[in-house]
Amino acid sequence: GIQPTGTPTIGHILGTVKNWRHFQDKYHCNFFVADLHAITLPQDPDILRSNTLKLMAFFLASGVDPKKSLVTIQSHVPQHAELSWLLSCFAHVGELSRMTQYKD
């Protein structure tokens, strides 16, 4: 996923999305616009909404194929926020740090 905090650059194409196009031919991939992660800092809601849609359009224009991969906007999947709430209530860092899976 990529946060929609600005305008996509040539670095996004060469460093990330170019590889995504190749991955989707070999693997089942999930690509998303991480707009909920972007609100960890103050955001203008109108600009964030606009950047989110522009980034999704950028994914599709760059060759990410929704027929081959799951392509979503994070805030459009309510289960993401619901799971975050449940995990934050029950899975404290102290408890997680004892698990081998979390340490890895």
Side-chain angles (χ1 to χ4, degrees):
I2 299 177
Q3 293 182 18
T5 53
T7 304
T9 65
I10 191 74
H12 288 104
I13 294 173
L14 297 177
T16 304
V17 180
K18 178 181 174 187
N19 291 325
W20 287 2
R21 288 192 320 242
H22 300 298
F23 289 156
Q24 68 185 353
D25 293 329
K26 293 183 178 182
Y27 309 103
H28 175 72
C29 298
N30 299 314
F31 303 118
F32 64 98
V33 177
D35 57 339
L36 293 178
H37 281 77
I39 60 173
T40 57
L41 297 174
Q43 300 283 335
D44 179 314
D46 293 330
I47 293 173
L48 180 61
R49 191 174 305 108
S50 174
N51 285 346
T52 298
L53 295 176
K54 287 178 184 175
L55 190 54
M56 179 57 74
F58 173 77
F59 284 178
L60 299 175
S62 299
V64 173
D65 187 352
K67 292 180 182 175
K68 296 180 182 179
S69 304
L70 180 62
V71 185
T72 60
I73 296 174
Q74 184 181 26
S75 64
H76 293 199
V77 181
Q79 293 85 354
H80 180 87
E82 292 167 2
L83 180 60
S84 175
W85 173 259
L86 290 172
L87 288 175
S88 67
C89 288
F90 295 105
H92 304 284
V93 174
E95 294 175 19
L96 291 172
S97 65
R98 292 191 294 258
M99 294 175 47
T100 303
Q101 299 87 342
Y102 182 77
K103 291 177 186 178
D104 288 342

